[in-house]
Amino acid sequence: MTSGSVPLRVLVVDDEPAIRRFLRAGLSSQGYVVTDIEDGLPAVDIARRKATDLIVLDLGLPDIDGTEVIGRIRAAGSAVPIIVLSSRSDEAAKVDALDLGADDFVTKPFGIDELLARIRAAQRHRLQQEGETPIFRGGDLSVDLVRRIVTVRGAEVKFSPREYAVLRLLVQHAGKVLTHKMILREVWGGDTDVQYLRIYVRALRQKIEADPERPVHILTETGVGYRLRIND
């Protein structure tokens, strides 16, 4: 739970005292240094000052909406990982938060083990982005972004240019949920029906998954988008 010998700092932003107490206890027991607040504006200031390593953010806050918090943090140039934690289960809320720059979305009620796994994935994604790792490895999948070589279970796999473009985008953001809108914008320029994306993801799964009907690499976030899994 640490970077070197320095404990990771987690900022919990939630207006429910019981949730803050629960998260403080659960995260502290795993070695995180936890600060908890109930308002969004102080969170923006903390992120700007680089005084936290990761934010767990509720959307329904007393002062400003959590989506505005995300927008302000990203507009300030901060790349701090943000995991949205909210009782809003509708897909539109998830898409809005992710499109604004959140790394992940966990719906209340939730288990602490699930949240810890999402925190680890978000942190690994951020470290990967900062390190610009040219080779991604996850289980039996290996993607060399420099040489444009993809191997599965030791055998090289060929892709069409569009298939590779989708896979490359997922690899570059491994561990992060990418919305349909973002993928379509980056790969197709945005002017394409989401059904085309589903077709290409299906084709990718046929090539890289041992069982395409039970994917372990490219995971679906129903109604939202896709995530390339980072193995623990």
Side-chain angles (χ1 to χ4, degrees), residues 36-91:
D36 62 272
I37 57 178
E38 65 176 348
D39 291 320
L41 287 174
V44 176
D45 180 61
I46 290 170
R48 285 173 176 163
R49 292 189 285 106
K50 300 182 179 181
T52 187
D53 299 307
L54 184 141
I55 298 174
V56 177
L57 175 70
D58 186 22
L59 292 182
L61 301 173
D63 54 351
I64 61 174
D65 193 78
T67 54
E68 187 172 349
V69 174
I70 298 169
R72 292 191 184 194
I73 288 174
R74 295 301 184 231
S78 173
V80 63
I82 300 174
I83 297 178
V84 169
L85 183 65
S86 178
S87 57
R88 299 183 192 178
S89 59
D90 61 289
E91 294 169 0

Side-chain angles (χ1 to χ4, degrees), residues 120-131:
R120 290 192 296 269
Q123 189 63 23
R124 286 196 299 271
H125 167 251
R126 188 62 63 204
L127 292 173
Q128 176 183 310
Q129 290 292 93
E130 291 173 354

Side-chain angles (χ1 to χ4, degrees), residues 8 25 36 39 48 52 57 90 120 128 137-138 146 157 160 163 166 176 183 186-188 196 204 209 219 224 229:
L8 292 175
D36 62 272
D39 291 320
R48 285 173 176 163
T52 187
L57 175 70
D90 61 289
R120 290 192 296 269
Q128 176 183 310
R137 292 187 177 89
V146 176
V157 180
S160 72
E163 288 171 349
V166 174
K176 178 182 172 69
I183 299 173
E186 294 296 323
V187 177
W188 278 271
Y196 285 100
L204 286 174
E209 301 284 1
L219 307 181
V224 177
R229 180 181 179 183

